[in-house]
Amino acid sequence: MSLLSTRGLSKNFDGLQAVSNVDFDLPEGQIRALIGPNGAGKTTFVSLLCGRITPSSGSVSFDGRDISKLPAHKRINLGMAYTFQITSVFANLSVSENVSLAARKRVRGPSVMTVVQQVLDKVGLADRLDQIAGDLSYGHQRLLEIAMGLAQAPRLLILDEPTQGLADSEITAFKSLIRDLSSTTTILLIEHNMSVVMETADIITVLNFGEVLAEGSPAEIHANAEVQTAYLGTG
């Protein structure tokens, strides 16, 4: 059974069809990449999954439960965590305080600092425990945001452009991190960096004009003529 699925999911903005009749299934334990050209509807689709906006029609289900009308904070309580395209860290708090706030949604007492240390180790920020988050580089703020998501031990982690602002060496480490996380967490990755997508995703879903253009393995998507024309720029 799919951990996350949509049926006929659509969203209109003043007559503009941003997402149109999308059927989507994400099995537990999979790394799924969501790609597509600018304006393809990716951000709107993810906002529908997260509960930041409500659908015009269709449904979203998580672990077999219809969550279409559930607000975002209640979806988090079910085991969904997500990072935004724009960082949402608390700039005036330290790195450890940011992660502690996220961890306290799940654990209490001394366990909090154990979780903080574990997730900062995972994302490569353990040496910046006491640094003020607002003083971090943009790329490191993205990694902190991922750590905050991981602190909640999510069943589903949705990452929106996580490698934006990362140096090449950090992107290499990020690929390893994603592969490591996939043993315990289902991952939906919205990403423009095609080397990240092709090297980490089990399956890729391509959106174009708010509709699913194609879906398949990295090799199948790379060889798909429609995808090449619409997005990969080799058509």
Side-chain angles (χ1 to χ4, degrees):
M1 188 178 75
S2 294
L3 179 62
L4 179 74
S5 63
T6 71
R7 290 294 176 269
L9 193 64
S10 300
K11 182 64 180 179
N12 303 312
F13 293 104
D14 297 324
L16 172 68
Q17 190 82 3
V19 172
S20 180
N21 201 36
V22 171
D23 291 344
F24 178 82
D25 288 287
L26 177 56
E28 193 152 16
Q30 188 178 92
I31 303 174
R32 176 72 62 90
L34 182 67
I35 68 172
N38 290 331
K42 302 186 298 296
T43 298
T44 302
F45 180 66
V46 171
S47 295
L48 291 167
L49 299 180
C50 296
R52 297 173 71 195
I53 58 176
T54 55
S56 302
S57 59
S59 64
V60 181
S61 297
F62 185 74
D63 200 18
R65 172 183 174 181
D66 190 329
I67 60 169
S68 307
K69 293 183 169 61
L70 210 62
H73 69 276
K74 292 192 175 179
R75 298 189 195 198
I76 292 171
N77 293 340
L78 291 180
M80 296 175 69
Y82 48 91
T83 69
F84 301 123
Q85 203 167 352
I86 302 167
T87 57
S88 57
V89 301
F90 298 98
N92 295 325
L93 299 181
S94 70
V95 167
S96 63
E97 286 169 333
N98 268 274
V99 181
S100 293
L101 285 172
R104 287 193 189 102
K105 295 176 183 177
R106 182 171 64 89
V107 294
R108 290 285 185 271
S111 299
V112 171
M113 279 315 295
T114 302
V115 171
V116 169
Q117 194 66 55
Q118 286 173 344
V119 298
L120 289 176
D121 278 338
K122 273 188 184 294
V123 303
L125 292 178
D127 60 339
R128 298 176 183 271
L129 204 70
D130 299 319
Q131 189 169 346
I132 298 300
D135 293 339
L136 294 173
S137 68
Y138 180 76
H140 284 157
Q141 288 186 35
R142 301 313 310 270
L143 293 174
L144 173 56
E145 204 181 26
I146 293 170
M148 292 166 68
L150 293 177
Q152 299 167 52
R155 296 181 64 192
L156 171 64
L157 181 61
I158 301 175
L159 302 173
D160 193 355
E161 301 291 349
T163 66
Q164 189 175 351
L166 296 186
D168 288 345
S169 60
E170 292 168 335
I171 290 174
T172 300
F174 175 80
K175 292 174 187 174
S176 298
L177 172 65
I178 291 299
R179 286 190 285 266
D180 178 48
L181 293 178
S182 66
S183 62
T184 55
T185 307
T186 304
I187 296 170
L188 177 59
L189 181 67
I190 300 89
E191 182 57 69
H192 275 111
N193 186 314
M194 291 310 295
S195 77
V196 173
V197 169
M198 293 296 177
E199 291 176 36
T200 61
D202 299 313
I203 298 293
I204 299 169
T205 299
V206 185
L207 281 186
N208 196 34
F209 297 114
E211 300 179 341
V212 175
L213 175 66
E215 199 165 76
S217 68
E220 288 169 335
I221 293 302
H222 191 264
N224 186 298
E226 284 185 291
V227 175
Q228 289 175 356
T229 300
Y231 182 57
L232 297 180
T234 55

